[in-house]
Amino acid sequence: MDAPIIELAARVKEIKASPTLAVDAKAKALKAEGADVLNFSVGEPDFDTPPHVCEAGKAAIDEGFTRYTPVPGILPLREAVCHRLATDHGWRYQPDQIQVSCGGKHGLYNMAQALFGPGDEVLIPAPYWVSYPPIVQLAGATPVIVPLDEASDFDLDPAVLQQYATPRTRGIILNSPSNPTGSVLSARALEAIGKMALENSWVVISDDIYDTIVYGDDKLPHILEVDPRLSEQTLILNGVSKSFAMTGWRIGYTAGPKHIIAAMNKIQSQSTSNPSSVAQKAALAALNGPQDFPRQMRDAFVPRLNFIMEALTAIEGVTCVRPRGSFYVFPNLSAYFGRQSQDGRVIGDSVALADYLLEEALLATVPGAAFGADQFVRFSFATSMGVLEEGMKRLADALAGLR
Ligand code: PMP
Ligand code: GLU
């Protein structure tokens, strides 16, 4: 085939399209063709957006709230974010310290564009969420991957972190509870991170998007509680995608130091201008309305978590750290690497295994390689009990079929 006339920019050649969204699209296409695919891939609550939130969106349209809004988001929504951060966590922010963006992913993008550039290194503990490294790379900076260990429940070992820090380190991205492991960072790890951040002027990006989906009653330790000075160099990322089942509305928010938020607003003013006016009104209803929905969703996930943990760990050779939050499990399936399928294919890695599971068992999962951890495969359990039961049967059979 002839090379296309138009060359692409180097930056786009460096990155891959989001693998979570790619597997989800593949699963949905197969389903549309009539295949009985069970989709454990994309991380999206299987709940509908609460009715009062949808009503607020509809009312916004009917009232003609359909024009550009202020770049950082409407003031009442930024006030509502401040209110939630104060009420739920005791953190004090002013509206000019908040940016509302087109989803949390976009907030991370704005942060990276505002903070990082060529020569900068950003520490990313792995397993990591698929979009962190490309977002850092798109800013021209270098992601530096810090390995976490399954044996210590994917907590961060300060001594390991130390090995990856250099004079070029500008920041670190934390995600607790984590996508894909569901693990949380211990107070000890956060203390060490906070100390290094203070000593070396790192920015700490705390992606708290799963903080309403936590199992157990203990309050999670948080970087902002390590030392009050850290609020001057920490960005909190959150949004309504997971907490209010609003993935399609595209509303996320960042809280942080005023000058960084102002810089992110400059970027936003020259890219998306503002998040959808209608979606902002819906998010306002979510944050200001009753807060029982996130809890109900969390409670509904508990029996599913118990079921999938039991089913996975009953399979020979499979280990799985029990998630403390989120709706993912990240089993280690590497005991099956090197084995062969009936048709003679060797399963060499997580990509081959996920392909095999999709083709042989019609199970859509995301290979661990996408999260920087090849021994694992991610399953989202934000799906019905019926799908979980059938899915775990298919998984056990498909793995047993490998010789
Ligand atoms: N952070 C993490 C860890 C995620 O899993 C996601 C995926 N939805 C996001 C951020 C961003 O979510 P959204 O853009 O839908 O707000
Ligand atoms: N964050 C979810 C996931 O990891 C949604 C898809 C995406 O944005 O990556 O599956």
Side-chain angles (χ1 to χ4, degrees):
M1 219 173 56
D2 290 343
I5 296 168
I6 306 298
E7 266 282 316
L8 300 177
R11 80 175 71 81
V12 83
K13 293 188 202 163
E14 248 186 62
I15 62 158
K16 287 200 192 114
S18 166
T20 43
L21 298 180
V23 182
D24 185 50
K26 195 169 168 184
K28 283 178 178 150
L30 283 168
K31 229 176 166 149
E33 286 167 16
D36 176 24
V37 177
L38 301 181
N39 194 354
F40 289 92
S41 67
V42 78
E44 172 162 72
D46 61 327
F47 288 79
D48 291 330
T49 304
H52 72 281
V53 175
C54 295
E55 286 310 321
K58 287 185 212 164
I61 297 175
D62 291 342
E63 288 158 12
F65 194 76
T66 52
R67 297 174 190 271
Y68 293 131
T69 76
V71 168
I74 55 174
L75 181 61
L77 180 53
R78 285 179 289 133
E79 285 171 343
V81 169
C82 293
H83 177 71
R84 285 261 65 82
L85 294 174
T87 314
D88 299 345
H89 303 280
W91 303 330
R92 301 269 154 227
Y93 285 94
Q94 298 302 317
D96 59 3
Q97 294 181 285
I98 308 296
Q99 178 188 70
V100 182
S101 52
C102 307
K105 191 185 279 185
H106 182 231
L108 288 164
Y109 187 84
N110 285 341
M111 284 176 209
Q113 293 292 317
L115 290 167
F116 308 131
D120 292 341
E121 293 179 358
V122 181
L123 299 168
I124 303 179
Y128 49 70
W129 179 44
V130 295
S131 291
Y132 296 148
I135 286 173
V136 167
Q137 281 168 290
L138 286 170
T142 306
V144 173
I145 307 307
V146 181
L148 304 177
D149 194 0
E150 181 189 12
S152 44
D153 290 350
F154 299 111
D155 195 15
L156 193 139
D157 180 344
V160 175
L161 181 64
Q162 197 85 52
Q163 287 167 28
Y164 289 85
T166 78
R168 288 179 301 282
T169 304
R170 289 283 324 281
I172 181 164
I173 306 182
L174 307 179
N175 180 213
S176 174
S178 143
N179 174 3
T181 65
S183 291
V184 301
L185 289 167
S186 65
R188 176 176 167 266
L190 288 166
E191 256 162 50
I193 296 164
K195 193 160 171 268
M196 287 172 80
L198 287 168
E199 276 167 10
N200 301 290
S201 304
W202 295 349
V203 61
V204 181
I205 296 173
S206 181
D207 179 347
D208 298 351
I209 204 114
Y210 295 101
D211 71 352
T212 56
I213 309 170
V214 175
Y215 308 107
D217 296 328
D218 295 349
K219 195 175 167 302
L220 296 189
H222 195 278
I223 188 74
L224 282 185
E225 275 131 36
V226 170
D227 186 312
R229 289 175 298 165
L230 281 165
S231 65
E232 293 302 315
Q233 55 197 81
T234 298
L235 290 166
I236 303 293
L237 180 86
N238 214 318
V240 290
S241 280
K242 316 291 172 177
S243 50
F244 283 90
M246 290 178 71
T247 47
W249 296 82
R250 310 308 303 129
I251 295 289
Y253 51 85
T254 303
K258 206 166 136 181
H259 74 289
I260 303 181
I261 297 295
M264 289 170 61
N265 289 339
K266 216 198 266 186
I267 303 278
Q268 182 148 290
S269 80
Q270 296 291 17
S271 51
T272 63
S273 300
N274 58 261
S276 150
S277 58
V278 171
Q280 289 187 62
K281 283 285 193 174
L284 179 63
L287 296 185
N288 276 350
Q291 296 300 299
D292 42 3
F293 182 79
R295 258 195 310 276
Q296 285 164 6
M297 211 164 38
R298 191 272 318 264
D299 291 349
F301 289 142
V302 172
R304 305 180 194 186
L305 165 64
N306 291 338
F307 173 80
I308 200 166
M309 276 304 297
E310 206 171 304
L312 284 169
T313 49
I315 301 173
E316 201 195 325
V318 176
T319 54
C320 188
V321 171
R322 188 179 180 85
R324 303 257 318 267
S326 85
F327 39 66
Y328 306 105
V329 280
F330 203 51
N332 185 332
L333 301 182
S334 62
Y336 291 87
F337 291 179
R339 298 199 191 179
Q340 275 188 17
S341 60
Q342 311 281 342
D343 60 5
R345 248 184 319 161
V346 177
I347 306 299
D349 56 20
S350 65
V351 174
L353 185 57
D355 281 346
Y356 167 75
L357 293 177
L358 186 56
E359 284 155 29
E360 290 298 313
L362 294 174
L363 281 183
T365 60
V366 188
F371 306 93
D374 192 39
Q375 295 176 305
F376 305 83
V377 171
R378 191 190 79 176
F379 292 73
S380 160
F381 56 88
T383 186
S384 72
M385 204 57 164
V387 168
L388 287 171
E389 283 168 359
E390 173 62 19
M392 289 303 106
K393 249 191 240 137
R394 287 192 200 177
L395 176 69
D397 290 348
L399 292 176
L402 293 172
R403 298 276 155 234

